Amino acid sequence: MKAYPLALVPLTLAVPVATWWLVGDLTETSGDIVLDYAYQPVTFGEAGDVILGVVAFLTALAALGVLLHGTVTGRMRNAWWGVAVSILAIGAYLGWAERIWTAGVIGANIGVGLTFLFGVPFVVTFLLPSVWSLVVLRRARRAEPEPAGRS
């Protein structure tokens, strides 16, 4: 069934948010010193952030469950897991990087520069499983017999 890979869509949205929630605030707390921010964090309040994080985490788990079900039942090609791995890796990197970018620090936030510096090579590397998957899926599609015409 071709609907199983559609679970990658909510996975794409849920993984960065779930990672952002799991990592938590990285702000340095040190008394009454004024903190510097590279970017001001967006928050929905303590309860709102928890609700958003839990919903994203459960959505990611449900999407992975759908993909796993498709694999176990044989209704989804295994090559789609390469795309899922790329989504998981890039989403986790983005969620973690957002926490670094919005962390309150004393002085310069060197982590922001490092996430930008290493971001492009990491994302390109994280895309490799997707490229492999798309090549495998393309070859499998070419190898499928053409459906017989209707009379």
Side-chain angles (χ1 to χ4, degrees), residues 79 81-86 89 124-135:
W81 280 101
V83 178
V85 166
S86 290
V124 168
T125 303
F126 296 157
L127 284 173
L128 292 178
S130 285
V131 172
W132 170 81
S133 291
L134 296 176
V135 168

Side-chain angles (χ1 to χ4, degrees), residues 52-113:
L52 183 64
V54 169
V55 168
F57 184 76
L58 294 175
T59 300
L61 284 179
L64 287 170
V66 169
L67 294 172
L68 189 59
H69 181 266
T71 301
V72 170
T73 60
R75 295 180 181 169
M76 184 184 84
R77 294 188 189 273
N78 290 337
W80 282 107
W81 280 101
V83 178
V85 166
S86 290
I87 289 171
L88 289 169
I90 292 170
Y93 182 78
L94 291 176
W96 171 75
E98 195 279 337
R99 283 301 196 176
I100 290 175
W101 299 338
T102 60
V105 296
I106 301 168
N109 187 342
I110 300 201
V112 173

